[in-house]
């Protein structure tokens, strides 16, 4: 296992780097999905070997192996209470399991194609499933009753998630779109079409105001669902991005890719913090625990890895309080800064690179100078519009850097 710190600057409140805590082996084929129970005592994983494994976080406790699906298990999800586990399979069924020694389950004859995604609503009363039959379906959990379908995708649906308040559902598809659905009206509210390839995974920001999606075009994109605007764009992986997970604070995002790495992004700073190398092959899935203290990953190497995030509690305690308040007042919800971060983005240059450029003779075409001046004007607008002191400071600092750059060019 190797870890590379991509950040050139340490953060106040961060004690140490992420570290590998546990390494679970027991699956006989690629791991497809992982999820923590709410109390963090158990971790569930699904695999192409058609089995679920329930791993206990306490040492020396044996794992449970659940057998019932007749083909690969593509997705797993703990209910909010931790008393149930849902799984979806290539055998076209959904099963609801009781995660104890008996491993009893109930079967939903759910879809006419592979079930790619299962997700409980925050109250644990509903379940949304997504399938290769191009549909999403919503079910009641306790009565195990089918409610309704969403049918506007025109290719396989890879992922579907409830919003934190349960009023919306977001889905990702091989038709290269991310769709936002209203659960009450049962209508598609908006389609996001910016991905250049299949969209493998999507999830809501903990505040419920943003979504993030990962795709086969190697990118991760974030949108504000109140304005339907693209907020951030990352192209940091060298291969397909398979999964992502928000930290409960909403400040960090972790991604898993076919390039075998996990990457941790700081969404407020808009930059890559860590690249983690642990899996011997594609990293297929990743998920933070409900508290954010741990995250788990799985890969084609048949391993489930549990990592300690090592984010100091002071690093995200206040944002958590802010988001609990934001859930009842949308106008006060946290807004992520609008940024585009590809590997060659100007925004990812360090302060040292600007200092070093002072010693070089710089000749910049007039068109570039005009572009930089346009950036300065846009930063002025950002400073005026933003109600967050953090963003005002960041915009001011960047404006000074670019203004200096224009001065040197002239």
């Amino acid at each position: 296992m190797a870890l590379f710190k991509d950040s050139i600057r340490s953060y106040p409140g961060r004690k140490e780097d992420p570290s590998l805590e546990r390494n679970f082996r027991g699956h006989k084929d690629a791991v497809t999905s992982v999820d923590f129970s709410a109390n963090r005592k158990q971790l569930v994983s699904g695999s192409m070997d058609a089995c679920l494994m329930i791993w206990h976080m306490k040492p020396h406790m044996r794992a449970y192996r659940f057998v019932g699906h007749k083909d690969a298990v593509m997705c797993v999800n703990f209910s909010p209470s931790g008393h149930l586990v849902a799984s979806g399979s290539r055998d076209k069924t959904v099963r609801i399991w009781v995660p104890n020694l008996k491993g009893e389950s109930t079967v939903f004859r759910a879809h006419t194609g592979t079930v790619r995604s299962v997700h409980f609503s925050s109250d644990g009363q509903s379940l949304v499933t997504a399938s290769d039959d191009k549909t999403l379906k919503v079910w009641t959990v306790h009565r195990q009753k089918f409610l309704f379908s969403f049918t506007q995708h025109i290719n396989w649906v890879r992922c579907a998630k409830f919003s934190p308040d349960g009023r919306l559902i977001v889905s990702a598809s091989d038709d290269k779109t991310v769709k936002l659905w209203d659960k009450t009206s049962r209508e598609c509210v908006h389609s996001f079409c910016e991905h250049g390839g299949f969209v493998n995974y999507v999830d809501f920001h903990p505040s419920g105001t943003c979504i993030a999606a990962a795709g086969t075009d190697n990118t991760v994109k974030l949108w504000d669902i109140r304005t339907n605007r693209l907020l951030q764009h990352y192209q940091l992986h060298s291969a397909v991005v398979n999964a992502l997970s928000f930290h409960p604070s909403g400040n960090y995002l972790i991604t898993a890719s076919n390039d075998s790495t996990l990457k941790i992004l700081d969404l407020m700073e808009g930059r890559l913090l860590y690249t983690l190398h642990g899996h011997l092959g594609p990293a297929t899935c990743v998920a933070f625990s409900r508290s954010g203290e741990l995250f788990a990953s799985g890969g084609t190497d048949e391993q489930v890895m549990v990592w300690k995030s090592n984010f100091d509690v002071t690093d995200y305690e206040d944002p958590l309080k802010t988001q609990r308040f934001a859930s009842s007042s949308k106008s006060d919800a946290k807004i992520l800064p609008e940024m585009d971060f590809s590997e060659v983005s100007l925004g990812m240059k360090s302060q040292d690179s600007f200092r070093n450029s002072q010693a070089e003779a710089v000749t910049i075409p007039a068109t570039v100078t005009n572009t930089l001046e346009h950036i300065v004007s846009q930063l002025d607008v950002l400073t005026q519009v933003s109600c967050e002191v953090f963003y005002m400071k960041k915009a001011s600092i960047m404006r000074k850097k670019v203004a200096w750059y224009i001065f040197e060019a002239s």
Side-chain angles (χ1 to χ4, degrees), residues 24 27 68 91 113 147 200 232 284 316 372 376 386 401:
F24 294 118
H27 283 297
D91 66 11
L147 293 178
N200 287 331
Q232 296 183 0
T284 54
Y316 56 84
L372 291 171
V376 173
S386 174
K401 290 178 182 177

Side-chain angles (χ1 to χ4, degrees), residues 197-357:
F198 300 158
V199 189
N200 287 331
Y201 202 91
V202 67
D203 203 359
F204 280 92
H205 186 273
S207 69
T209 61
C210 305
I211 57 173
T216 60
D217 58 2
N218 306 354
T219 68
V220 174
K221 291 179 169 63
L222 287 87
W223 293 272
D224 187 326
I225 62 172
R226 296 163 298 183
T227 62
N228 299 327
R229 293 176 64 182
L230 181 65
L231 289 179
Q232 296 183 0
H233 168 225
Y234 296 89
Q235 191 163 5
L236 302 173
H237 285 287
S238 60
V240 170
V241 186
N242 293 311
L244 54 81
S245 180
F246 282 103
H247 187 271
S249 69
N251 292 345
Y252 307 102
L253 184 74
I254 189 167
T255 58
S257 169
N258 276 0
D259 64 13
S260 80
T261 69
L262 309 176
K263 290 183 184 286
I264 300 177
L265 310 174
D266 185 327
L267 299 178
M268 303 311 293
E269 289 281 343
R271 61 196 186 115
L272 178 63
L273 287 181
Y274 297 101
T275 296
L276 284 71
H277 295 256
H279 289 284
L280 304 175
T284 54
C285 51
V286 67
F288 273 110
S289 65
R290 304 300 197 269
S291 66
E293 294 177 22
L294 301 173
F295 58 91
S297 61
T300 58
D301 57 4
E302 306 172 8
Q303 296 185 77
V304 175
M305 296 183 174
V306 177
W307 310 73
K308 192 172 182 180
S309 61
N310 289 322
F311 298 150
D312 187 12
V313 68
T314 59
D315 205 26
Y316 56 84
E317 189 176 52
D318 291 338
L320 280 172
K321 293 177 182 177
T322 300
Q323 282 161 18
R324 281 194 290 271
F325 177 76
S327 64
S328 61
S329 177
K330 286 190 176 181
S331 61
D332 294 316
K334 181 187 297 183
I335 303 173
L336 296 176
E338 296 188 28
M339 302 171 184
D340 185 330
F341 294 98
S342 62
E343 289 181 315
V344 296
S345 170
L346 178 65
M348 291 195 68
K349 288 189 176 181
S350 68
Q351 293 183 8
D352 290 338
S353 68
F354 284 100
R355 293 195 194 99
N356 293 339
S357 65

Side-chain angles (χ1 to χ4, degrees), residues 142-159:
H142 297 294
R143 289 189 296 163
Q144 301 162 17
K145 181 182 177 182
F146 167 72
L147 293 178
F148 53 87
S149 297
F150 296 114
T151 59
Q152 292 186 29
H153 280 295
I154 58 174
N155 208 333
W156 294 358
V157 187
R158 296 271 178 178
C159 185

